[in-house]
Amino acid sequence: GRPLVHFIFAGLTENAGVFLSIVALALGAVSVVTPLTATTPIFVLILSHFFLKGVEVITERVVAGTLLIVLGVYVITACAF
């Protein structure tokens, strides 16, 4: 039924995302691609507001956690020796 279609679509888009990440790593510099892919939590936070209304509650703690994740990846990639 309908839930199966949603799961199939989710699986296809997830696999496409992983494939495109690998293609980006193959074609671009890791120092550029990794920080860009690390912004994923920001997009998930924004899209969850629209697609998961009533299911996911976006609190200040969730926003702070998202920003800390992205900041942490930035610090690790910017300060790598």
Side-chain angles (χ1 to χ4, degrees):
R2 186 175 172 111
L4 180 61
V5 172
H6 287 239
F7 279 115
I8 291 172
F9 180 71
L12 290 173
T13 55
E14 172 64 24
N15 285 316
V18 170
F19 174 73
L20 291 174
S21 294
I22 293 170
V23 169
L25 286 168
L27 298 177
V30 174
S31 60
V32 174
V33 174
T34 302
L36 288 174
T37 58
T39 61
T40 302
I42 293 174
F43 293 106
V44 170
L45 181 69
I46 293 168
L47 292 174
S48 68
H49 171 71
F50 296 107
F51 291 106
L52 298 176
K53 284 188 180 197
V55 177
E56 181 71 26
V57 179
I58 299 175
T59 62
E60 291 176 359
R61 186 175 180 177
V62 171
V63 173
T66 301
L67 295 176
L68 285 173
I69 290 169
V70 174
L71 179 65
V73 172
Y74 170 76
V75 169
I76 290 170
T77 56
C79 299
F81 296 102

